[in-house]
Amino acid sequence: MVTTTKKRYLDAADIKDQARGNWMYLFSTLTGIGNAADNFNGNGSSSGSANARSACPVHGGNSNKAFYFFNDSNETGAGGCNSCGVHYDFDLIMWANGWDFRRTVEAVADALDIDESERKRNYKPKPQAEIKPRELTATELEKNLNLKNKMSQQWNEAYPLNKGKAKPARLYFKNRGLGDIGLLGGEVRLHPGLKYWVEDKDTKFGYKSLGTFPCIISTIRNKDGKPTTLHYIYITKDGNKADVPCCKKLGTAQAGVSISGGCIALSPPSRVKGVAEGLETSIAVENATKMPMDCCVNASMLGNWEPDNSTEIVFIWKDKDKPDWRGIRAGERVSNLLKERLEKRGIKVFIMTPPLNEDGVDWLDVYNQLGVLGFPEIAKKWLDIE
């Protein structure tokens, strides 16, 4: 007698909705970052409250504090490492454990006692407005005010890219093969000098400065266009990458303000929108195709990107990543997840893969090696749609 097992139906979006508000329990139960999860109280941030930190589950780290949670991590599932970057919800568990997507979704469902998703394919998600954010403490409100003042000060001290004192930024983009980049929607500026900080457990405050460098700063905005944080690229006066451990950094998140879904909006809202990870990659695509672009900074933010309400067609210009130690290609995986999520809303989505026969390349490499001719099919689709 042959017995058949009914295939378990799990809708990832449904499982993620039910995980909202339970991520600390899930991280504590399923991953090696349980110490940070168990001590999380909603007051930890990337700026360093120790009760929200632990050793990185992938590379460890010397301080045992490399991994951190954000203030809203129990709601969003976000967490990050000073070296490895920020990860979200399922992706964080996959990164920490080396699991594939299906195994991760099943493990989360099991931890939440979900046998099968009740949600059907035609499910329409609840409006975001129905989710009531928790009230912030007086300490969090004060920290938020300080962060906003700091960002405003840095932005006001910085120069638009067409100013003479912004020459290091223009040289940087020129050195990357991008030529005259214009104003980049007014969302990117050059700060004349910001200190670069790294962790140092031997110092009084736990951090030390490696010097002051010119810095390209970009505004990260949420779907509604509100600024959430800044992105930093530390460079030299002659337009090269600064000699620091990681020249690109994402600014500290404000309490109760999620950066998930945000981007650097290089172009205003439009019916057709292109989206990519890196700033230089996004500029290359915009130069080659004249397509309005949003820059998502990294793979995790690309996977969680939220289009404007006017957007009907999306081109995902994915990176052609090398597989990591688990055999996972981050750019491909998050692009597919984003495509699936947007198509459920009725948005038409194209995934664009660099036409180069090697791994570890992106559309900036295409632009520099093949020029505009590396984008013919894409340009045609763009013109046909318009």
Side-chain angles (χ1 to χ4, degrees):
M1 179 179 178
V2 178
T3 58
T4 59
T5 302
K6 181 182 177 181
K7 185 177 180 180
R8 188 180 186 187
Y9 175 68
L10 295 173
D11 184 287
D14 178 28
I15 305 302
K16 184 158 48 172
D17 277 355
Q18 297 191 54
R20 193 176 184 93
N22 293 300
W23 284 110
M24 290 305 114
Y25 161 72
L26 293 167
F27 295 149
S28 177
T29 304
L30 301 176
T31 75
I33 50 178
N35 184 51
D38 291 342
N39 291 309
F40 177 82
N41 62 12
N43 294 322
S45 75
S46 60
S47 59
S49 178
N51 63 21
R53 286 179 171 261
S54 70
C56 174
V58 174
H59 82 281
N62 295 326
S63 66
N64 289 324
K65 294 182 180 180
F67 179 84
Y68 56 84
F69 285 121
F70 296 100
N71 297 298
D72 58 356
S73 289
N74 198 37
E75 296 293 313
T76 65
C81 168
N82 295 325
S83 299
C84 304
V86 179
H87 300 267
Y88 294 87
D89 47 74
F90 297 135
D91 181 60
L92 195 153
I93 297 175
M94 293 169 66
W95 166 72
N97 291 352
W99 291 353
D100 61 27
F101 184 70
R102 179 69 189 184
R103 180 180 178 184
T104 301
V105 172
E106 289 181 342
V108 171
D110 289 341
L112 296 174
D113 293 326
I114 300 171
D115 181 34
E116 284 197 338
S117 297
E118 296 181 1
R119 174 178 296 179
K120 303 302 179 184
R121 295 291 180 183
N122 60 356
Y123 172 83
K124 294 183 179 180
K126 296 179 181 179
Q128 191 70 19
E130 292 186 15
I131 301 174
K132 296 181 180 180
R134 66 175 178 83
E135 292 186 11
L136 301 180
T137 65
T139 300
E140 288 174 327
L141 290 171
E142 183 179 1
K143 285 183 178 180
N144 278 3
L145 180 60
N146 291 337
L147 277 172
K148 284 191 274 189
N149 288 340
K150 178 183 176 181
M151 287 191 296
S152 295
Q153 180 180 349
Q154 290 177 342
W155 188 257
N156 291 331
E157 291 172 347
Y159 302 107
L161 296 178
N162 62 345
K163 299 298 182 181
K165 292 184 178 180
K167 184 178 180 180
R170 296 196 300 275
L171 287 174
Y172 172 81
F173 291 116
K174 183 178 180 180
N175 290 340
R176 299 286 281 158
L178 294 169
D180 183 7
I181 39 76
L183 286 172
L184 299 181
E187 297 294 279
V188 183
R189 291 186 174 188
L190 187 280
H191 193 285
L194 290 177
K195 287 186 176 181
Y196 185 95
W197 297 94
V198 293
E199 285 190 39
D200 188 343
K201 61 182 179 180
D202 295 327
T203 61
K204 180 178 179 181
F205 300 104
Y207 290 87
K208 70 176 181 180
S209 172
L210 297 184
T212 300
F213 305 89
C215 191
I216 298 170
I217 61 174
S218 307
T219 301
I220 304 287
R221 298 182 184 273
N222 63 15
K223 177 185 175 183
D224 299 320
K226 296 180 180 179
T228 59
T229 190
L230 295 176
H231 180 258
Y232 303 87
I233 305 177
Y234 292 84
I235 62 175
T236 63
K237 291 182 179 180
D238 55 359
N240 293 310
K241 294 180 180 180
D243 185 17
V244 292
C246 182
C247 71
K248 298 183 180 182
K249 285 190 173 185
L250 198 58
T252 302
Q254 301 172 52
V257 179
S258 177
I259 63 173
S260 178
C263 66
I264 303 169
L266 299 178
S267 304
S270 60
R271 189 172 72 90
V272 178
K273 179 72 76 169
V275 63
E277 289 185 38
L279 180 58
E280 297 93 317
T281 299
S282 302
I283 297 170
V285 174
E286 191 169 68
N287 284 354
T289 66
K290 309 306 177 187
M291 181 180 293
M293 292 294 296
D294 281 353
C295 166
C296 291
V297 178
N298 58 43
S300 294
M301 289 184 66
L302 175 65
N304 288 280
W305 175 73
E306 287 291 340
D308 182 85
N309 291 332
S310 64
T311 301
E312 300 175 5
I313 302 168
V314 171
F315 286 81
I316 304 172
W317 300 81
K318 75 173 185 179
D319 291 355
K320 193 175 180 183
D321 298 324
K322 295 179 180 179
D324 64 15
W325 61 275
R326 302 161 292 177
I328 295 174
R329 299 175 187 268
E332 181 175 353
R333 181 175 53 77
V334 298
S335 296
N336 290 335
L337 290 174
L338 177 60
K339 182 177 188 291
E340 181 180 358
R341 177 163 60 84
L342 296 183
E343 286 181 337
K344 288 181 178 179
R345 304 182 191 177
I347 297 175
K348 190 172 183 63
V349 182
F350 299 96
I351 295 181
M352 305 291 107
T353 303
L356 299 176
N357 295 322
E358 55 187 305
D359 291 333
V361 297
D362 55 32
W363 285 97
L364 175 63
D365 296 307
V366 175
Y367 188 69
N368 283 323
Q369 293 184 34
L370 304 178
V372 176
L373 293 178
F375 298 73
E377 182 181 355
I378 311 314
K380 184 177 184 301
K381 286 182 178 178
W382 164 241
L383 293 173
D384 287 346
I385 290 168
E386 284 297 285

